[in-house]
Every structure is written in C-alpha cells, then in structure tokens.
Amino acid sequence: AQSVTQLDSQVPVFEEAPVELRCNYSSSVSVYLFWYVQYPNQGLQLLLKYLSGSTLVESINGFEAEFNKSQTSFHLRKPSVHISDTAEYFCAVSTANAGGTSYGKLTFGQGTILTVHP
Amino acid sequence: EAGVAQSPRYKIIEKRQSVAFWCNPISGHATLYWYQQILGQGPKLLIQFQNNGVVDDSQLPKDRFSAERLKGVDSTLKIQPAKLEDSAVYLCASTLRSGRVYNEQFFGPGTRLTVL
C-alpha cells in the first residue's frame, strides 16, 4: 500500500525567511503528487500538483515543489514566507497503473504545521 | 460555482448512538469521496463512489459504517453504533475525471464529530 511521510510535524519560521516542508512517498510505478493547505478553521485547498511534464511545479502564491523520482520526494519550498502562510500543509499521493491511469484515491501524509512568526 | 456542501458542521453524540452526515458535491462531479481525519493525522479515505457505484471501500469499517449515493449526486455516511475512536472530522470531496487522470479533489468544510 502507498504511504506518505511528512518528515516534520511542526515548522516554526520567521517572516521573510525561506522554508522547506519535506514529503517522501513509497515507491510506485506511477504517481500523481499534490500539496494541500488547510488554513485555520477552513477546509482543505489544493496548493499545487504534479501530474506529468516538468518536475518543478509552482503555485500562484509563491510556493514551488519538485518531483524527484529517484528520491521519491516532493518537497515544498517558498523563498520568503508571510504571516498569512501560517497553516497546516498536507502532501498527498495518487497512484496510477503502468499506463498512467489514475486510481483516484489520495493517500495523505500526517501534515506539517507551518507557523510564521513576525 | 458552489463548492462541496456538508452538514451538519458539528455533531456531539454519546457512544453507541447513531449519526449521519450529508454531502452535496460540486455539480457534475461524478466521483465522490468520504475521508476521516483524526486529530493530528492526515485524512484517510473511507469510501470512493463513481456515480452511484462503490469504487473502493477497503478502509470502511463495515460493521458500523455505511455510505450510499443512491442517485449519483448527494451522499450520506452513517455510523451505527458510534465508538469513542470515531471522534474525527469527516470530509467529503468530489472530482471530475478527465481521461486517465482524476483532477484535483475539492473538499467540503467537514463535519466535526465528538463521541462522548
């Protein structure tokens, strides 16, 4: 069965500092990778996704993640964080068969709470 | 476009009681999911529907949990009888499928269940 490990449960950081949230998944033939964000008292929202093509994907608010197949990782980075980035971040994986057909269901990591201090 | 709707938002019950949650997915989304999110953990899939058929219910505790999507739109998830360890947020999500790939899942606000 697929598993996802988020290596840090909590990441405190000061405003304008860079941040990296780490995510590793167990190997599979094909995977689709996602980062979701959950702001306080809100539902899960998609931050960015990797389906195919360029291994570096970006979000509209400055986050980026790089798919590294050899290391089975999909780490999330931002060069300069804001107070408003304080939230819980979830890495998720959807597996596919050798032909690339997705099975649909997401397997989530346990989440990383990012706290940005002024 | 309206998002995924869920009700109730909060529910408190005593152990051994029954409870039901309702979900209305985004219009046109044929695929619907129920997830359980226990405090401090990531969401865990309970059941996946494609229209009104079950695709995956391998992690649904079928001795006490049941779910249905009779007309391929709304869905209900029921717990009977509830246990203390069922305290969690129950999330509903929906998505479109484009060819071989499922698009992003859109999540509802969730129902927070507390079992006393």
Side-chain angles (χ1 to χ4, degrees):
Chain A
Q2 183 65 251
S3 66
V4 179
T5 302
Q6 290 183 242
L7 296 162
D8 305 293
S9 60
Q10 297 191 50
V11 174
V13 65
F14 287 107
E15 194 172 18
E16 297 183 7
V19 71
E20 178 180 77
L21 307 184
R22 296 177 292 169
C23 172
N24 286 91
Y25 61 93
S26 57
S27 181
S28 181
V29 176
S30 295
V31 293
Y32 300 113
L33 297 156
F34 305 83
W35 276 98
Y36 279 83
V37 59
Q38 189 169 33
Y39 297 104
N41 300 314
Q42 295 187 27
L44 284 163
Q45 303 172 37
L46 181 69
L47 186 62
L48 47 74
K49 62 185 177 184
Y50 169 79
L51 300 181
S52 64
S54 172
T55 57
L56 184 65
V57 291
E58 299 177 353
S59 72
I60 58 173
N61 57 354
F63 283 93
E64 64 178 30
E66 186 162 17
F67 169 50
N68 188 320
K69 188 173 183 178
S70 63
Q71 298 189 6
T72 61
S73 68
F74 191 55
H75 301 331
L76 181 69
R77 302 183 184 93
K78 190 171 185 179
S80 176
V81 294
H82 301 139
I83 297 285
S84 59
D85 293 324
T86 294
E88 188 162 18
Y89 292 78
F90 292 93
C91 180
V93 173
S94 175
T95 56
N97 62 22
T101 298
S102 168
Y103 297 121
K105 82 172 197 180
L106 291 176
T107 300
F108 285 86
Q110 63 270 46
T112 297
I113 297 173
L114 173 65
T115 304
V116 182
H117 298 285
Chain B
E1 177 181 273
V4 177
Q6 289 188 248
S7 69
R9 292 294 311 276
Y10 304 92
K11 190 74 177 178
I12 300 174
I13 61 172
E14 295 191 350
K15 60 182 179 183
R16 291 188 289 273
Q17 286 187 321
S18 302
V19 65
F21 313 128
W22 174 83
C23 172
N24 189 322
I26 292 173
S27 177
H29 283 193
T31 310
L32 183 147
Y33 309 82
W34 283 101
Y35 290 87
Q36 179 193 57
Q37 186 177 15
I38 293 172
L39 186 65
Q41 300 180 19
K44 182 186 80 172
L45 180 71
L46 292 175
I47 189 167
Q48 176 184 349
F49 289 96
Q50 183 70 23
N51 296 307
N52 61 353
V54 174
V55 174
D56 184 346
D57 64 357
S58 57
Q59 297 190 85
L60 187 74
K62 299 181 186 63
D63 58 333
R64 298 183 301 107
F65 286 65
S66 64
E68 60 183 13
R69 195 183 182 201
L70 293 175
K71 297 183 179 180
V73 181
D74 294 8
S75 177
T76 56
L77 176 70
K78 297 179 182 178
I79 307 175
Q80 180 179 10
K83 292 185 175 181
L84 297 177
E85 58 261 36
D86 298 332
S87 293
V89 176
Y90 290 85
L91 298 167
C92 179
S94 69
T95 190
L96 282 171
R97 183 173 177 176
S98 300
R100 301 179 305 168
V101 179
Y102 286 86
N103 290 308
E104 69 171 280
Q105 294 184 23
F106 292 85
F107 284 82
T111 297
R112 183 176 298 276
L113 173 67
T114 301
V115 182
L116 303 175

